[in-house]
Amino acid sequence: MRRYNVYASMSGNGRFELIKDNNLPHGDQEMEYWAECFTWEDLKKVIPYFRARGWKLLIEPIEEDDAYGKMHIYSFTYGVNHDIQLLDVMGIRIIMARDITMPKAVKDSFTPGY
């Protein structure tokens, strides 16, 4: 079975990771990650909502075997140094998260001074 990671961006707002709210936590990192990914049925509701508002979307398919060792931004930080917004789109609760610590260009060129 395939699920999807979704990223949304709009000029001036940056790039957000869209995470499906997991209201039944399992305590297992891989199961949590998998439950936070979108199903095809979810995408049929979520994609038109964001596109109608002018957001550009990147949809990344993921297999259950690929979920090993992965974690969504919100799961890892719970809002620390991240801009978090909660939405309800046609009964699907969505967490929009983006890293606000430093711009991507700076992160890519950042060299720790050890």
Side-chain angles (χ1 to χ4, degrees):
M1 178 183 190
R2 180 178 284 179
R3 293 202 180 195
Y4 303 86
N5 284 323
V6 180
Y7 303 93
S9 62
M10 180 183 254
S11 60
N13 288 332
R15 181 178 186 225
F16 286 84
E17 180 178 28
L18 303 184
I19 306 161
K20 184 177 174 182
D21 186 30
N22 180 13
N23 51 0
L24 296 173
H26 301 93
D28 178 80
Q29 179 180 334
E30 286 77 31
M31 290 179 73
E32 298 291 334
Y33 182 85
W34 187 248
E36 293 169 351
C37 294
F38 293 90
T39 64
W40 182 252
E41 292 302 315
D42 296 335
L43 290 182
K44 289 189 218 177
K45 298 173 184 177
V46 172
I47 300 305
Y49 174 87
F50 282 98
R51 285 199 175 145
R53 285 154 182 77
W55 288 79
K56 293 180 182 176
L57 300 168
L58 172 66
I59 302 162
E60 176 183 86
I62 185 164
E63 298 289 338
E64 192 167 4
D65 294 340
D66 298 331
Y68 182 76
K70 292 191 177 182
M71 190 177 275
H72 287 113
I73 289 176
Y74 182 72
S75 306
F76 180 66
T77 63
Y78 293 102
V80 176
N81 293 326
H82 288 80
D83 180 13
I84 304 294
Q85 297 178 29
L86 298 174
L87 298 171
D88 189 294
V89 176
M90 298 182 71
I92 301 171
R93 197 164 161 187
I94 298 173
I95 301 164
M96 291 179 58
R98 74 180 168 119
D99 185 350
I100 58 171
T101 54
M102 61 178 85
K104 183 175 176 12
V106 174
K107 281 184 202 175
D108 291 344
S109 65
F110 186 68
T111 307
Y114 304 126

